[in-house]
Amino acid sequence: MSFVPTDSRREADAQAALQTAFAPQSVAIAGVSPRTTGWGGGQMFLRAVRNLDRVPQVYCLNPRGGELDDGTPLYRSLAEVPGPVESLISAVPASAILGLIDDAVAKGVKVIHLFTAGFGETGDAERAELEAEVLGRLREAGIRLIGPNCMGIHSTRGGVSWMDDGSSKPGRVGMLSQSGMNASEVVGEGGRRGIDFSNVASFGNASDLNEADFLDFLAHDPDSDIVLAYLEGIRNGRRFLRIAREMSQARKPLVVLKGGLTEAGSRAASSHTGSLAGSAQIWNAVQKQGGFMPANSVEELLDLAVTIERMPGVAGPRCAVLGGGGGVSVLAADICDRNDIPVPWFREQTQEVLREFTPVAGTSIRNPLDAGFMLEGDHMETALSAVADDPSIDWLMVHTGTDGGGPRARQDDNLRQMADGLAAVAPKLSKPLAVVIRQSRTAVGFERGLGLQSALNERGIACFQSIESCARAVRRYLDWQDR
Amino acid sequence: MSFVPTDSRREADAQAALQTAFAPQSVAIAGVSPRTTGWGGGQMFLRAVRNLDRVPQVYCLNPRGGELDDGTPLYRSLAEVPGPVESLISAVPASAILGLIDDAVAKGVKVIHLFTAGFGETGDAERAELEAEVLGRLREAGIRLIGPNCMGIHSTRGGVSWMDDGSSKPGRVGMLSQSGMNASEVVGEGGRRGIDFSNVASFGNASDLNEADFLDFLAHDPDSDIVLAYLEGIRNGRRFLRIAREMSQARKPLVVLKGGLTEAGSRAASSHTGSLAGSAQIWNAVQKQGGFMPANSVEELLDLAVTIERMPGVAGPRCAVLGGGGGVSVLAADICDRNDIPVPWFREQTQEVLREFTPVAGTSIRNPLDAGFMLEGDHMETALSAVADDPSIDWLMVHTGTDGGGPRARQDDNLRQMADGLAAVAPKLSKPLAVVIRQSRTAVGFERGLGLQSALNERGIACFQSIESCARAVRRYLDWQDR
């Protein structure tokens, strides 16, 4: 049974290559244009790496040589590079790839990331052959491949990235994604939602290193407490399932968004990353056996990360819904109920406490608690504590809009007061708290919402963008805990 | 069978009262505080009315008399008012309501709107009795009642409103809503989405005039081409159903969002408007028989209004999805498929046209068309026309984000180009076009999105806020057309 050792040898090799790819001592970027403006793939990787604290030794390649505006030399080829190169990022066109591969073999590169696209995913037979040829030459040389057709590695600690806006901070959430755009969206939006990332891989066509290799790495990565995944095809379902089950047993949360579950989506996945997306039935079975949390959108991946990081102690589904607006409260209760989140009436004792300072007209003190005023004034602590201490309640959902009428300064004051109040009260509550900042409809309200979210994030309070997404995430997390 | 004429007499009376309420010659507002700052109900109605083009004769009441800063007199009671008063808006507390009612009877008022809350909806027996007493006195005097516990009437043409930000324009969509906040949200957000309103009623507890009366009015209102509804309880289900069916037969679109369909939501509705919300089963039957379009959220009400107003010619569900991003395209196809919106591959002829100017790497020309560049450049007309002329396609969905990287000015330019391009191309296309502006994550992107939306609105192009909401709305509309 020679295939077992061979497979496990290749798997071990893969992990060693990924250790290098996520934190290389030296990187070469092939295809760096001397123009510093514009997108140009190579420049993007260079800017991204230079934004990070830990910058490995970086070499830039361009067949025409010369240098960048800041004097950085452009080497004509890998052979010209004066030091060793552990990791190579290729932003050259597919037509130049074979030459680069041969140079990499000669240079003793350990791992290559092909940002380069235009291979099997195009559906063109010649281009698929080229991909096979690349893979063959690398395999012979013992070099491992990330991609092609992907953004590669983002690791603020490891000093590699494609996210060139400089906004990423090191965090405790890992991610594997077949789509670079979806990974960028999760990391970028994550930053705004208080979710920071440890190690992220965008791996496109997954010709060599596939979803199972990346999951294996993140499952054992001590910097990643939670793992998010966006997948189109599954190359090694059995191994993926085995690792997912191990994570489930170790209570390390894994959340998976699967693209291409419908016929149309599956065809799109084949054009995008050359993936065979498989059927929804098969995926349902995988999901059941894998013991991970499913997500249906990029937003849901982050909703679950927020829930896991900031509401780990939620012990059950029964929710107290607090905020202003009768119609909103009715619809909120409907939404919770539809997501299997009960909204039980408060016990009489709780209602009595609330009744003391709540005007009878235009409010309700049952549950939902329709009394927006108490999120702005002195009664917040009394109200939230009374509700949290109600034994019929497992967690609290406070919701607010940010488009309120009245003078802008007063609105801003109100929200600041609310953020300060919630931050002061939350640690004293006997149950977990979530805050929903309902979608804004004006530019002023949107900015106010971002401000409120960031103030609450800083204090470690879970924030969501809609009542629906909050209820759904808590339900998914509880289902996972219950397994 | 004396009850039949009595009922129909009261129904006819109701319509006459609503004609007055929606366009009164004279209005008195009771409970106007002399302070011009702050919310104060009476002031709000005064500001709202004065923002409109057609201002009826308005009188302000305050038991202490005096005048407003601008010299407007505050009458101590209706008896002091020098001219006739057709319509009365009450913003006095419930404790003062019986005196006001007696004055209104003496003055010969035709219709009263009670913004005043704190009646049966509180669950308090004494307050429920007070509501019954109010209703009894008004009924005896032949005065009809809107509310209590509601925002009343918004009609820019009729000169009555509670929307005091002055942003509303007269339009062709009518609305009835048991929640004032939901009505405000629909009207306010509608303005930003290019949907303007004819006549809107928020009617709270519906003690007297109920959902059937308001639907009757809007069903026959020549200014309302479409009617939206947010309902909690149904007071006269049989009549509501009859009018809904008549509208369905006359092909006048009606969209209904029903709150309180779950147990928790139903309890909340009883606290909010004292409504008996009924079960989901009964509502499903009503929906089936009524032939109207259901909506599950406030956003969906507007999504359907946008679809009906701007894509009336959509002949079938088969959709061409166009935009940039492989992962987004895969998920877009999944979302469409799940909403019963097929995304079929383009015929070979269409692909040939697209192939001519689409780079092979990082794109797909099948469907979804993953080629964001063509929304910015010269190829837009060629691409969109080729796709629209494909016989396997019924409509086009273009999607774009607004958070793109690169310099801000360039991004702004790109979106302006896109808006101009789409506006120029849309009228030439053989199929309807929808544009999805995906949710932004930054303040800059959000503002850019509002700008793009407003530019497209001005040109009559349907805009949506997510791929999901667009697909769902088109599906709902087609289902309604197919009936």
Side-chain angles (χ1 to χ4, degrees), chain B residues 335-397:
Chain B
I335 290 166
C336 286
D337 208 322
R338 276 192 206 114
N339 283 281
D340 251 332
I341 295 291
V343 183
W345 270 10
F346 299 134
R347 62 173 168 179
E348 185 46 38
Q349 191 181 329
T350 309
Q351 293 190 41
E352 257 166 46
V353 175
L354 299 170
R355 201 171 286 129
E356 265 171 45
F357 51 84
T358 307
V360 68
T363 63
S364 169
I365 51 164
R366 286 151 180 172
N367 189 20
L369 175 59
D370 166 15
F373 74 90
M374 72 178 51
L375 298 177
E376 289 163 10
D378 304 326
H379 301 297
M380 192 196 280
E381 183 167 348
T382 320
L384 267 59
S385 299
V387 166
D389 293 340
D390 192 316
S392 61
I393 293 302
D394 295 310
W395 63 289
L396 289 75
M397 181 202 291

Side-chain angles (χ1 to χ4, degrees), chain A residues 117-119 121-124 127 149 179 181-182 185 188-189 192 230 232 257-272 296-299 302 324-331 333-335 337-338 341-345 360-368 370 403 438-444 446-447 450 465, chain B residues 117-119 121-124 127 149 179 181-182 185 188-189 192 230 232 257-272 296-299 302 324-331 333-335 337-338 341-345 360-368 370 403 438-444 446-447 450 465:
Chain A
F119 294 97
E121 81 280 4
T122 60
D124 181 283
R127 287 169 176 272
N149 181 29
S179 155
M181 189 165 162
N182 287 350
E185 219 174 307
E189 173 63 359
R192 279 175 289 272
Y230 170 74
E232 293 184 356
L257 167 58
K258 175 73 173 69
L261 280 181
T262 66
E263 199 201 315
S266 166
R267 276 190 283 105
S270 123
S271 295
H272 179 218
N296 276 319
S297 66
V298 163
E299 192 196 357
L302 284 169
V328 173
S329 295
V330 172
L331 295 176
D334 279 345
I335 290 166
D337 209 321
R338 274 191 210 116
I341 295 291
V343 183
W345 270 11
V360 68
T363 63
S364 168
I365 51 164
R366 286 153 179 170
N367 190 18
D370 166 15
D403 285 330
R438 296 195 310 268
Q439 205 198 340
S440 168
R441 323 210 170 246
T442 64
V444 171
F446 186 86
E447 229 174 321
L450 286 181
Q465 304 186 326
Chain B
F119 294 98
E121 82 278 6
T122 61
D124 180 284
R127 287 171 175 274
N149 181 30
S179 155
M181 190 165 160
N182 287 350
E185 221 175 305
E189 173 63 359
R192 279 176 287 273
Y230 170 73
E232 293 184 356
L257 167 58
K258 175 71 173 67
L261 280 181
T262 66
E263 200 201 314
S266 166
R267 278 191 281 105
S270 123
S271 296
H272 179 219
N296 275 319
S297 67
V298 163
E299 193 195 356
L302 284 169
V328 173
S329 295
V330 172
L331 294 176
D334 279 344
I335 290 166
D337 208 322
R338 276 192 206 114
I341 295 291
V343 183
W345 270 10
V360 68
T363 63
S364 169
I365 51 164
R366 286 151 180 172
N367 189 20
D370 166 15
D403 286 330
R438 295 195 312 267
Q439 207 197 341
S440 169
R441 326 215 166 241
T442 64
V444 171
F446 186 86
E447 229 174 319
L450 287 181
Q465 305 186 326

Side-chain angles (χ1 to χ4, degrees), chain A residues 4 29 49 76 100 106 108 122 133 148 192 198-199 225 236-237 275 296 320 335 402 423 443 462 475:
Chain A
V4 176
I29 306 171
V49 168
R76 277 192 191 75
L100 183 67
T122 60
E133 177 67 27
R192 279 175 289 272
S198 46
N199 290 307
D225 296 334
N236 191 339
S275 295
N296 276 319
I335 290 166
T402 55
R475 182 71 258 174

Side-chain angles (χ1 to χ4, degrees), chain A residues 208-361:
Chain A
D208 174 21
L209 295 169
N210 63 34
E211 70 291 335
D213 295 306
F214 290 102
L215 186 65
D216 200 356
F217 181 84
L218 294 172
H220 299 100
D221 176 18
D223 289 333
S224 302
D225 296 334
I226 301 171
V227 179
L228 310 181
Y230 170 74
L231 301 176
E232 293 184 356
I234 303 283
R235 296 253 173 181
N236 191 339
R238 201 181 296 184
R239 187 168 159 229
F240 182 85
L241 207 53
R242 181 170 53 72
I243 304 166
R245 269 201 305 261
E246 282 166 14
M247 290 179 73
S248 168
Q249 275 148 24
R251 312 310 289 151
K252 182 160 176 170
L254 170 63
V255 189
V256 183
L257 167 58
K258 175 73 173 69
L261 280 181
T262 66
E263 199 201 315
S266 166
R267 276 190 283 105
S270 123
S271 295
H272 179 218
T273 53
S275 295
L276 290 170
S279 76
Q281 289 91 316
I282 292 176
W283 184 247
N284 284 342
V286 169
Q287 200 171 286
K288 227 171 176 173
Q289 289 173 53
F292 51 82
M293 286 166 263
N296 276 319
S297 66
V298 163
E299 192 196 357
E300 239 183 292
L301 285 173
L302 284 169
D303 291 335
L304 276 159
V306 167
T307 308
I308 299 164
E309 273 208 343
R310 305 191 163 203
M311 303 177 68
V314 61
R318 299 165 308 160
C319 178
V321 177
L322 322 168
V328 173
S329 295
V330 172
L331 295 176
D334 279 345
I335 290 166
C336 286
D337 209 321
R338 274 191 210 116
N339 283 281
D340 251 332
I341 295 291
V343 183
W345 270 11
F346 298 134
R347 63 174 167 178
E348 184 47 38
Q349 192 181 326
T350 309
Q351 293 192 39
E352 258 166 45
V353 175
L354 298 171
R355 201 172 286 128
E356 266 172 43
F357 51 83
T358 307
V360 68

Side-chain angles (χ1 to χ4, degrees), chain B residues 441-465:
Chain B
R441 326 215 166 241
T442 64
V444 171
F446 186 86
E447 229 174 319
R448 232 182 244 148
L450 287 181
L452 178 60
Q453 180 177 259
S454 124
L456 293 172
N457 282 341
E458 273 166 32
R459 271 86 162 227
I461 296 176
C463 288
F464 297 87
Q465 305 186 326

